[in-house]
Amino acid sequence: MSILTITGPIVGAAIVAIITYLTSRPRMRAEVLKLEAESEYTRAETTKILSEFQARPSDVAGDNALPRGWYVTGARPEDYEFGIDTQIFHSGRTSAFIQARPGAQEFASVAQVFKADAYRGKRIRLSAMLKTRDVANWAGLWLRIDDALHNVMEFDNTSDNRSISGTQVWSQRDIVLDVPGEGATIRIGFILTGLGRVWCDDVSVEEVGPEIPVTRNTEDVRAHPENLDFEGGTN
């Protein structure tokens, strides 16, 4: 039996494997890009909804009692369960959690609202410890400051590089915003988008100095319109 007879099928199989790998790579890249785009879209939509949402309490509270002073809100809170966990916590004896039900969509949040009186004209930092299990999309914090007519004055969430996904140990997340003089209420919360579970513990709201930068994306906005006739060249 010749060497070619023996090695022919092996070489052929190797060539097929290489061709299959090379031709599948573009499809794999396309799938990865698609998933990344979908994730970014979900984050953008969540940010938009949270910044516009009136954040009214929901009647959906799950099978467990909510921590005193907190309420449930979100785009589809009925797709989630909420409560306190006496087995997993960062400190003390309990933590709060959000657990997605099978097929959960949009997002849900455990939130709290309080008057801005003590914080007007000051810079505040919202901090909390978060832990996740099998979070398919992302989990994080959000902070919103409204005026007396419920118009949003300041808003930020951790849907950027501060978000958490997958299974992660306890880690701290922060949001820093300035409270305007016309601020009437401050809303805080932790959030879960999509499948998985998030725990939250050791939440704090404190005044910080000007040396601590705000976390909201502050774009440089020009004072006057520019190049309205499109004759000013390109960037």
Side-chain angles (χ1 to χ4, degrees):
M1 182 177 294
S2 68
I3 296 296
L4 289 176
T5 303
I6 298 173
T7 60
I10 299 174
V11 172
I15 292 173
V16 170
I18 292 171
I19 293 174
T20 301
Y21 171 73
L22 292 175
T23 55
S24 64
R25 286 181 67 187
R27 292 197 298 271
M28 292 170 62
R29 290 197 197 99
E31 285 298 315
V32 169
L33 291 174
K34 179 182 177 183
L35 290 173
E36 289 178 348
E38 290 175 349
S39 178
E40 288 302 316
Y41 174 78
T42 301
R43 293 183 183 186
E45 282 298 297
T46 303
T47 297
K48 180 176 183 294
I49 293 171
L50 271 175
S51 62
E52 296 175 350
F53 196 50
Q54 290 301 322
R56 296 187 180 91
S58 168
D59 292 332
V60 179
D63 298 328
N64 299 279
L66 286 172
R68 180 173 54 84
W70 296 82
Y71 65 88
V72 168
T73 187
R76 286 187 62 87
E78 63 270 21
D79 286 358
Y80 297 83
E81 296 179 358
F82 314 87
I84 56 175
D85 194 322
T86 59
Q87 303 299 315
I88 296 177
F89 45 83
H90 181 258
S91 67
R93 295 178 296 176
T94 60
S95 67
F97 73 87
I98 305 174
Q99 168 75 52
R101 290 173 171 157
Q105 299 179 18
E106 299 289 350
F107 70 92
S109 175
V110 173
Q112 185 173 143
V113 59
F114 52 93
K115 292 181 179 180
D117 298 16
Y119 302 96
R120 288 195 189 104
K122 299 177 181 179
R123 179 165 293 182
I124 62 171
R125 175 169 57 200
L126 167 66
S127 298
M129 300 299 296
L130 298 176
K131 173 183 170 67
T132 58
R133 184 178 67 202
D134 300 331
V135 171
N137 201 329
W138 71 275
L141 298 178
W142 62 277
L143 168 62
R144 209 178 90 176
I145 303 162
D146 294 358
D147 65 14
L149 298 177
H150 305 295
N151 297 309
V152 179
M153 306 188 74
E154 293 288 340
F155 172 80
D156 190 26
N157 67 11
T158 59
S159 62
D160 50 18
N161 56 5
R162 295 166 290 162
S163 66
I164 306 176
S165 60
T167 299
Q168 304 291 338
V169 298
W170 290 104
S171 61
Q172 182 173 319
R173 291 297 183 270
D174 301 316
I175 297 177
V176 180
L177 289 177
D178 290 325
V179 182
E182 299 78 20
T185 57
I186 298 175
R187 299 176 188 273
I188 63 175
F190 70 102
I191 183 175
L192 175 62
T193 65
L195 299 177
R197 184 182 180 111
V198 59
W199 291 265
C200 182
D201 203 355
D202 298 333
V203 181
S204 67
V205 178
E206 60 180 343
E207 179 185 353
V208 296
E211 72 279 3
I212 306 297
V214 297
T215 52
R216 177 178 56 81
N217 181 25
T218 54
E219 297 179 312
D220 292 330
V221 180
R222 60 179 57 89
H224 305 286
E226 179 182 349
N227 196 25
L228 301 182
D229 59 0
F230 308 108
E231 302 296 330
T234 59
N235 292 325

